[in-house]
Amino acid sequence: MTYSFRWMQEDVPGAGWQELFESTWPSYQKWFLKSGDAARPELSVCRKALTRYMPELVPTWERLGHLAGGNVRVARMLSLYCPAPYVVGCSQAVWTGSEPLLVRNYDYHPDAFEGVAVHTQWNDTRVMGVSDCLWGLLDGMNEHGLVAALAFGGRKDVGVGFGIPLILRYVLETCHTVDEAVAVLERVPSHMSYNVLLTDMTGDHVVVAVAPDRSTTVERRAFCTNHQDGTGWARYLEVTRSFERERRLESLMGDPAMTSAELIRSFLKDPLYSKEHARGFGTLYTTVYRPRAGRMSCLWPDRSVDQDFDDYEPQEIEVETPDSPTDSQAESRPSESA
């Protein structure tokens, strides 16, 4: 199986975003309607929630809705308020040496992946990262050196709140430091459980565990996978090997001889790098963010692409997964029963 990965730069949403919308909306609409249209909030409710929690994003939300033709259902989906459930797998760590960096793997099914890294300047702050839900981010960094990356928290509970990709976008649009980002994550409700790893130019770093049914917790840890408090959704944790990956990260980070280059290479090897694409949890990319240099690198076992804020080159590549799923190989993914 192959999929495309491309880099797009558009300071203000325009033709590039429209192209992304048109190519992905059929899939997003199917996801939005998974439990029926009535299961998702009305437009007035979405607007009220965005205005209350993330007012700085409202003008961009309105512009995106206009670019999408003024469709009410599109605007509701783009609010990412109380969206349909979705589940991903991730491993991520912060290197706390002389040059801080964040490295992470994103594990998901290629058919449900936008495959776009974006460079934007929507609210006078340059942001670059990997796109999701058309304007959210799976991981990213802003020009102030703040870096954020998400990992599913391994719990099936769904509540009232926003999809985490939009919350990450908001963090990077409005915050400069880890402390400021933590304050946002404590204030803005998330509809499912996620672990958010943060770092900034100073090397400060935390893991913030958000959930719809309990208080946000903040730990000064340098790595995380896909569970909270050592518990979670048993089948998902088994399929994604969350505890095994965490143990590997703990070993790597605790090795006094470890270097940042060796840590990054470890993300391209088992068990951190997953070949379970047939089950919907294969590693689709590895990103490395270097906040002091303002540089983002996207890696695969056979290639890498470097970008930075001042020299960002739009391009596209084809990526081939290590295995090709077939009907006999593929099994029901945990995300299908969330």
Side-chain angles (χ1 to χ4, degrees):
M1 178 182 292
T2 61
Y3 60 94
S4 297
F5 193 101
R6 64 189 177 99
W7 290 260
M8 180 177 77
Q9 181 173 6
E10 197 168 56
D11 288 349
V12 178
W17 185 87
Q18 281 182 311
E19 180 184 348
L20 176 63
F21 166 75
E22 290 169 1
S23 66
T24 59
W25 174 243
S27 295
Y28 278 122
Q29 179 168 232
K30 182 178 179 180
W31 169 66
F32 182 82
L33 297 175
K34 182 177 181 179
S35 301
D37 186 84
R40 307 275 71 84
E42 293 296 328
L43 182 61
S44 60
V45 176
C46 297
R47 177 179 291 278
K48 183 177 180 180
L50 271 175
T51 301
R52 175 182 178 183
Y53 290 105
M54 297 183 279
E56 296 90 339
L57 294 188
V58 171
T60 302
W61 174 64
E62 292 175 338
R63 179 177 179 83
L64 296 178
H66 175 74
L67 290 171
N71 185 297
V72 170
R73 180 174 291 166
V74 172
R76 291 162 63 204
M77 176 267 161
L78 288 173
S79 75
L80 284 186
Y81 186 61
C82 298
Y86 50 88
V87 178
V88 300
C90 305
S91 303
Q92 42 201 38
V94 168
W95 175 256
T96 57
S98 57
E99 183 195 9
L101 60 82
L102 186 150
V103 53
R104 67 91 109 254
N105 282 355
Y106 179 72
D107 303 344
Y108 201 42
H109 198 289
D111 291 345
F113 178 48
E114 286 183 11
V116 179
V118 295
H119 181 302
T120 62
Q121 193 171 357
W122 293 347
N123 291 281
D124 298 324
T125 295
R126 293 183 296 172
V127 175
M128 59 181 175
V130 181
S131 174
D132 191 47
C133 297
L134 291 167
W135 68 313
L137 292 169
L138 299 169
D139 48 78
M141 174 173 65
N142 66 25
E143 63 181 319
H144 308 297
L146 178 64
V147 186
L150 65 86
F152 178 58
R155 302 176 65 241
K156 297 178 70 171
D157 306 81
V158 180
V160 176
F162 292 91
I164 195 68
L166 186 59
I167 300 176
L168 250 64
R169 163 64 75 174
Y170 182 62
V171 162
L172 294 176
E173 291 285 341
T174 62
C175 301
H176 291 207
T177 65
V178 164
D179 287 344
E180 291 176 1
V182 168
V184 168
L185 292 168
E186 291 177 328
R187 177 179 63 82
V188 179
S190 171
H191 87 304
M192 292 187 75
S193 298
Y194 288 91
N195 299 323
V196 179
L197 183 60
L198 300 167
T199 192
D200 59 26
M201 280 191 181
T202 69
D204 191 11
H205 58 277
V206 295
V207 174
V208 184
V210 301
D213 59 338
R214 56 188 185 182
S215 299
T216 297
T217 63
V218 182
E219 295 183 71
R220 188 170 175 80
R221 287 196 294 127
F223 57 89
C224 62
T225 54
N226 298 115
H227 53 272
Q228 298 176 343
D229 297 336
T231 62
W233 178 6
R235 179 169 176 266
Y236 166 82
L237 297 177
E238 178 184 0
V239 169
T240 62
R241 303 160 69 190
S242 184
F243 291 108
E244 180 181 354
R245 289 183 284 115
E246 182 186 57
R247 288 192 296 270
R248 178 58 174 157
L249 287 173
E250 185 174 22
S251 174
L252 292 168
M253 301 297 284
D255 182 353
M258 182 59 53
T259 66
S260 60
E262 290 172 343
L263 176 65
I264 293 168
R265 284 194 292 270
S266 296
F267 274 75
L268 299 173
K269 302 175 183 177
D270 187 72
L272 300 182
Y273 184 89
S274 171
K275 297 181 180 180
E276 297 290 343
H277 298 87
R279 304 173 80 177
F281 287 97
T283 299
L284 297 181
Y285 67 86
T286 302
T287 42
V288 180
Y289 292 95
R290 294 175 171 84
R292 291 181 185 169
R295 190 162 78 248
M296 166 191 183
S297 301
C298 296
L299 289 74
W300 293 267
D302 62 342
R303 73 183 81 184
S304 65
V305 175
D306 296 329
Q307 301 278 15
D308 64 55
F309 283 114
D310 297 321
D311 186 18
Y312 192 93
E313 180 184 354
Q315 56 188 287
E316 183 171 355
I317 63 172
E318 292 294 313
V319 180
E320 184 173 357
T321 62
D323 57 2
S324 298
T326 66
D327 290 342
S328 60
Q329 286 178 296
E331 62 178 60
S332 176
R333 290 181 284 147
S335 57
E336 292 173 349
S337 55

